[in-house]
Amino acid sequence: HGVFAGVSFNLDQRRNGTVGYQVQDRAAVSTFAVQQNPPSEIGSGYRLHASRRQSDQETTEGGGSIQYRGRHGFYSATYQHGASQDYYFLGLAGGVAAIDRSLYFTRPITDGFALVSVGDLKDVRVYHSNKLVGTTDKHGKVLVPNLISYYENKVSIDDRDIPIHYTVPQTERYTALPYRGGAIVKFAATKLKSFSGRFFFMTRDGKQSADFAGLEIKIGEKVVEAVVGKGGEFYLENLPAGKFVSRAFLKGKECSFDLTIPDSDASMIDLGEVSCEIP
């Protein structure tokens, strides 16, 4: 015959513990344990436990373990004391994925995985099913392990990590993979560039204001349109570097000119004065 009493308690959503007391066969055993469960993605967890047995002689046992789930693997350390001996264990588990002509060291991969690319932006947080799985490296990439095969996996990024001078049309995407398959999930990140200047018509009488004139810049098969403001000021966005055939027109006046866009990493570029000659 024996008697047992125990209490379980929760400290928060991840931390819990137990306290127990048992009497059986003329021996009394007291136990205590507390643990924090590691998250499914990045983070740490631990477990501490101890017990004392009182009978003809008193014995104690106990130990603890800690685990960290990181971007490149699982790491653990365990200590155990029992029967007058101490035991120590160290653990490491990880994986290697070959995708997009590169190798990536990651946590153990048990099913599908994806390489997430956010342009060339580093330190952008990436989520799988709203759980943080990592941040992009200096090349704007991070490997996401443990996607579920034959299922629409939600992969998203935190737009608060996108610099103000960049634009990202999408912040979440869905991808389905075959069993233990891989995919590349791209989030287009475009650096915003603005171009400003002053536009004038050149006539026989000299330079004239081109207020409210229309501008057309031909870039390949695409035509970019703009309107000149007061004082001849104009504003353009996200044009590639190069020289482009352009046209200006206003109330029957029309002329052609070449607009040169410099190759620059600056976000705001002043093109200075631009003009074309009215025949």
Side-chain angles (χ1 to χ4, degrees), residues 19 23 37 42 45 47 59 90-91 133 139 142-143 153 169 179 182 197-198 223-224 226-227 233 236 249 253 269 273:
V19 177
V23 178
N37 298 318
I42 294 177
R47 185 175 190 274
T59 60
L90 294 176
V133 293
H139 303 295
V142 62
L143 193 84
N153 295 270
Y179 180 59
R198 279 77 56 202
V223 175
V224 176
V227 176
E233 295 185 354
L236 301 166
F249 51 92
K253 293 189 273 188
I269 301 171
E273 290 191 1

Side-chain angles (χ1 to χ4, degrees), residues 179-197:
Y179 180 59
R180 291 190 175 180
I184 299 176
V185 179
K186 291 185 177 181
F187 293 92
T190 304
K191 186 175 182 180
L192 291 173
K193 285 187 178 182
S194 63
F195 305 90
S196 61

Side-chain angles (χ1 to χ4, degrees), residues 246-266:
S246 305
R247 183 174 76 96
F249 51 92
L250 175 65
K251 296 179 180 180
K253 293 189 273 188
E254 180 178 329
C255 58
S256 298
F257 64 99
D258 289 333
L259 180 65
T260 300
I261 302 297
D263 187 2
S264 173
D265 290 330

Side-chain angles (χ1 to χ4, degrees), residues 121-136:
L121 299 179
K122 67 177 182 178
D123 297 330
V124 178
R125 284 170 287 186
V126 177
Y127 299 83
H128 171 218
S129 297
N130 298 322
K131 295 179 181 179
L132 180 66
V133 293
T135 57
T136 55

Side-chain angles (χ1 to χ4, degrees), residues 56 77 84 92 222-223 246:
D56 296 335
S84 301
L92 170 64
K222 179 182 177 182
V223 175
S246 305

Side-chain angles (χ1 to χ4, degrees), residues 200-208 253 276-279:
F200 300 93
F201 287 128
M202 299 301 295
T203 68
R204 294 177 182 177
D205 298 327
K207 187 166 63 174
Q208 292 185 357
K253 293 189 273 188
C276 68
E277 186 175 345
I278 297 292

Side-chain angles (χ1 to χ4, degrees), residues 4-10 16-22 31-34:
F4 172 79
V7 176
S8 298
F9 55 91
N10 292 320
N16 58 79
T18 59
V19 177
Y21 184 78
Q22 180 178 1
T31 60
F32 170 79
V34 62

